[in-house]
Amino acid sequence: MEIGPALTTAWGWISLAAGVIGNLAVLPGWWWAEKGACGLLLLGLGIYLSTVIYLQVTGSGNRWAQMTLFGFGIIIAAFRIAQTWKYAYEPRPKLR
């Protein structure tokens, strides 16, 4: 049984949802939704990265560029969560 198509669909939809929620949340300052979107993004990128690592180890070909880019995306999303984690309120001033 192949899980490739289902796995690709799963991380794709998770990452798409993260992008839509993040874009809708960042300008009005809904920091709680932005944190959730970053968490979804971490989940989607983590699924993809683990799949690529598995393919690198078990298959032929070079997937280092993919691993690097998705690893960098995970670092950026984790950094954004770390920036706002300590705040229980909107950490940035409102746009006027």
Side-chain angles (χ1 to χ4, degrees):
M1 177 176 137
E2 291 186 16
I3 65 167
L7 194 61
T8 301
T9 302
W11 72 257
W13 278 107
I14 290 169
S15 299
L16 180 65
V20 169
I21 293 168
N23 278 315
L24 293 175
V26 73
L27 287 180
W30 300 334
W31 58 270
W32 50 270
E34 185 183 347
K35 282 183 191 179
C38 284
L40 280 176
L41 183 61
L42 283 172
L43 179 63
L45 291 176
I47 291 169
Y48 189 93
L49 181 61
S50 61
T51 303
V52 172
I53 290 172
Y54 173 78
L55 292 173
Q56 175 68 27
V57 170
T58 62
S60 62
N62 187 344
R63 293 177 176 85
W64 286 102
Q66 285 178 307
M67 289 188 288
T68 302
L69 290 173
F70 281 93
F72 184 69
I74 288 171
I75 290 169
I76 295 297
F79 179 71
R80 182 62 185 155
I81 289 174
Q83 273 184 321
T84 60
W85 190 261
K86 62 184 172 184
Y87 296 104
Y89 57 89
E90 169 60 41
R92 296 172 297 188
K94 294 281 187 196
L95 297 174
R96 296 187 193 259

